[in-house]
Amino acid sequence: MTHRIFIDGAAGTTGLEIADRLKDRSEFELIVLADTQRKDTAARREALNEADVAILCLPDDAAREAVELVDPANGTRMIDASSAHRTAEGWCYGFPELVGQERVANARRVSNPGCYPTGFLALIAPLVQSELLPADWPYTVNAVSGYSGGGKALIERYESGAAPGFRPYGYNLAHKHLPEMQAHAGLEHPVLFAPAVVPVFRGMIVEVPLHLGAMENDPHADDLRNALREFYDGSSVVTVSSAPAPAELTLEPQAAPWDGVELFVFGNEGGSNVRLVAKLDNLGKGASGAAVQNLNLMCGLPETQGLELTPA
């Protein structure tokens, strides 16, 4: 069976990568609009309603408008790569390792997780769910990402040599990723999030430092590592490292695409302090790779087909 796919917003970074990943796969037929029709509402409406699955790679408001263009009686299913529907009623959160593959496979509307939340939730959600970590803790996230996540303007700025070597942002403490981090980890308080962009094209490191000794149940670093290993047992997408703490973790300036997530638990002697770290590709499991994984599930195909899971 061939599945008809329309990528609305195919000219953006995420859309271009999804299209490139699907173009040679015989299971899919891409519905492609001419450049002159990409912003034509009538042409988009027709394409959206012709598709078996529509993938939205649009700004939030445009994604909401695209959903309204689909006839409710139509069979079109949707994957939204924007942040518009990540906590919306009626949308499945598209993180199969957390919500279950079957739920994604059966969903009509799937919201792709954000790149930073993918790292944070991969670390924290299973540990809060198991009650090893408290839901009422004031969690802090420190993270760096490649500049490709900032869209065309930021890419041009970095590739022209006009961008700084380190670009922290989000100082208004109201980043759009905060609601999904809190909601899907089951937290009582919003996360304190400190993101930054560095001069690499793709890749990201997301870190959650914790003083375990200050928690009422006084968990040990080994407990967290073992719980994560058990939770992701059998997953070829999310892996938990058992290697000793390295001198450093790095991101390469021109890394190859990668659709996995590697989790680390680094504890001090005695295990009372810990740095939980997730390493992933912001364009892989953080965006396009996640969309392809969800698309595979929704179309009844092997979950990891077309994914690049060789460790970066």
Side-chain angles (χ1 to χ4, degrees), residues 175-261:
H175 196 285
K176 66 180 182 179
H177 287 328
L178 294 178
E180 69 180 291
M181 288 182 179
Q182 181 178 359
H184 296 294
L187 304 180
E188 294 184 15
H189 308 295
V191 171
L192 184 59
F193 180 39
V197 174
V198 292
V200 302
F201 182 72
R202 61 196 305 151
M204 65 190 333
I205 293 175
V206 180
E207 178 170 338
V208 183
L210 295 171
H211 185 55
L212 301 180
M215 296 179 179
E216 186 173 343
N217 62 336
D218 192 20
H220 189 281
D222 290 343
D223 299 331
L224 306 189
R225 185 184 301 104
N226 292 336
L228 289 172
R229 189 176 291 123
E230 181 178 352
F231 186 87
Y232 294 110
D233 183 44
S235 175
S236 55
V237 176
V238 183
T239 58
V240 182
S241 175
S242 57
E248 58 184 18
L249 285 178
T250 60
L251 296 174
E252 297 302 319
Q254 293 296 330
W258 177 47
D259 297 314
V261 181

Side-chain angles (χ1 to χ4, degrees), residues 82-284:
S82 82
S83 61
H85 299 102
R86 291 175 183 161
T87 59
E89 185 176 350
W91 286 78
C92 171
Y93 192 61
F95 200 145
E97 294 81 8
L98 295 184
V99 306
Q101 282 79 2
E102 185 175 354
R103 184 178 172 195
V104 174
N106 294 330
R108 298 205 57 77
R109 294 180 173 182
V110 173
S111 181
N112 244 31
C115 53
Y116 290 114
T118 295
F120 174 76
L121 291 169
L123 292 164
I124 297 298
L127 299 177
V128 171
Q129 180 181 312
S130 67
E131 300 185 348
L132 276 172
L133 293 182
D136 62 352
W137 191 260
Y139 291 95
T140 296
V141 184
N142 304 309
V144 294
S145 172
Y147 58 80
S148 57
K152 288 184 177 180
L154 190 62
I155 292 172
E156 290 173 2
R157 185 179 174 194
Y158 268 90
E159 296 190 345
S160 69
F166 181 71
R167 180 181 175 270
Y169 65 102
Y171 287 111
N172 63 356
L173 303 182
H175 196 285
K176 66 180 182 179
H177 287 328
L178 294 178
E180 69 180 291
M181 288 182 179
Q182 181 178 359
H184 296 294
L187 304 180
E188 294 184 15
H189 308 295
V191 171
L192 184 59
F193 180 39
V197 174
V198 292
V200 302
F201 182 72
R202 61 196 305 151
M204 65 190 333
I205 293 175
V206 180
E207 178 170 338
V208 183
L210 295 171
H211 185 55
L212 301 180
M215 296 179 179
E216 186 173 343
N217 62 336
D218 192 20
H220 189 281
D222 290 343
D223 299 331
L224 306 189
R225 185 184 301 104
N226 292 336
L228 289 172
R229 189 176 291 123
E230 181 178 352
F231 186 87
Y232 294 110
D233 183 44
S235 175
S236 55
V237 176
V238 183
T239 58
V240 182
S241 175
S242 57
E248 58 184 18
L249 285 178
T250 60
L251 296 174
E252 297 302 319
Q254 293 296 330
W258 177 47
D259 297 314
V261 181
E262 189 170 16
L263 306 182
F264 304 86
V265 178
F266 301 130
N268 68 336
E269 185 176 354
S272 62
N273 287 335
V274 73
R275 294 169 68 176
L276 304 179
V277 182
K279 185 177 181 180
L280 63 150
D281 180 350
N282 60 293
L283 293 181

